[in-house]
Amino acid sequence: MTLTIGSTAPNFDVETTNGKINFHDWIGDSWAFFFSHPADYTPVCTTEMGRTAQLADEFAKRNTKPIGLSTDTVEEHKTWILDVNDTQNTSLTFPIVADPDLKIAKLYEMIHPSESETAAVRSVFIIDPNKKIRLTMTYPMSVGRNFDEILRVIDALQLGDAKRVATPADWRPGDKVIIPPSISNEQAKDIFPQGWDEVRSYLRLTEV
């Protein structure tokens, strides 16, 4: 099974640090930031777990629930969280999936044999309330994720859904956006009464 953008995120029942969950039920009407780690008590993972916890309010503003995964047990996760909180000066409350048998990691194609047969690479899945995968990113084990980019892409996806727009390179909230070519100029007059700048017939920029 290949997971692609637009496909339904596979559902699963699993034990986490916050108790047993059904993944789809847990997402509910929210978005989800589902991200994997190679192992507990590893340095890069510790900083990433801590950064996610520090950004709890930012994820909440975006109606987005973080959930981590590491190929260790709930008991190991819970003691590791104490280290995360201590070294990263935070309080981690989001769930971490226990996956010692690699069942979820394999379901989500997080095991890359050239990197490791047993440890998950740094996968990212942004999943919308319809349980559709909207973005995937994969980092090697040695490189920590860019959380500014994770928040930026959630903003871009949510704005695109709400306003029927696309976002240009390096877009940030407040920047101009793109009117997709699938929307004709005639349709755009109703959807974007504020008008737009037509750089080319296929490149129209507007404010939202």
Side-chain angles (χ1 to χ4, degrees):
M1 177 182 181
T2 300
L3 300 179
T4 57
I5 290 174
S7 63
T8 299
N11 196 19
F12 53 83
D13 294 292
V14 73
E15 293 290 344
T16 78
T17 50
N18 291 1
K20 189 170 185 176
I21 66 164
N22 173 277
F23 189 45
H24 283 191
D25 289 347
W26 177 83
I27 294 173
D29 295 328
S30 301
W31 290 64
F33 162 47
F34 184 29
F35 62 117
S36 62
H37 294 269
D40 295 356
Y41 295 102
T42 51
V44 177
C45 301
T46 297
T47 64
E48 290 187 318
M49 286 292 187
R51 189 62 183 138
T52 304
Q54 291 166 0
L55 291 168
D57 289 346
E58 292 300 320
F59 284 112
K61 283 180 194 173
R62 295 162 173 82
N63 187 32
T64 300
K65 296 178 177 178
I67 182 168
L69 176 145
S70 183
T71 55
D72 294 291
T73 66
V74 166
E75 291 71 23
E76 289 168 319
H77 290 345
K78 286 184 175 180
T79 56
W80 178 38
I81 286 171
L82 299 178
D83 267 11
V84 172
N85 290 342
D86 187 42
T87 63
Q88 307 305 305
N89 191 30
T90 191
S91 180
L92 192 160
T93 59
F94 61 86
I96 305 174
V97 169
D99 195 32
D101 61 1
L102 311 184
K103 181 180 177 182
I104 310 304
K106 289 178 179 177
L107 180 66
Y108 273 79
E109 302 172 345
M110 296 168 172
I111 302 294
H112 291 201
S114 295
E115 284 276 280
S116 171
E117 293 284 351
T118 59
V121 293
R122 299 183 194 285
S123 297
V124 173
F125 294 90
I126 303 299
I127 301 166
D128 70 19
N130 294 318
K131 317 306 181 284
K132 298 296 183 182
I133 295 171
R134 301 295 299 276
L135 172 131
T136 63
M137 289 190 285
T138 304
Y139 289 72
M141 292 183 181
S142 60
V143 179
R145 279 164 270 232
N146 183 327
F147 282 81
D148 287 340
E149 171 61 8
I150 289 164
L151 293 175
R152 187 193 78 93
V153 79
I154 293 170
D155 285 336
L157 288 167
Q158 293 180 347
L159 182 69
D161 287 358
K163 301 293 186 180
R164 297 178 63 184
V165 296
T167 49
D170 294 329
W171 174 87
R172 294 282 178 182
D175 292 350
K176 287 186 176 181
V177 296
I178 293 170
I179 300 173
S182 58
I183 297 175
S184 69
N185 279 351
E186 201 60 38
Q187 293 170 311
K189 289 176 184 177
D190 293 328
I191 302 169
F192 306 102
Q194 68 273 31
W196 59 86
D197 297 323
E198 189 164 308
V199 183
R200 292 287 188 275
S201 59
Y202 62 87
L203 178 55
R204 296 164 296 170
L205 300 173
T206 190
E207 306 272 1
V208 290

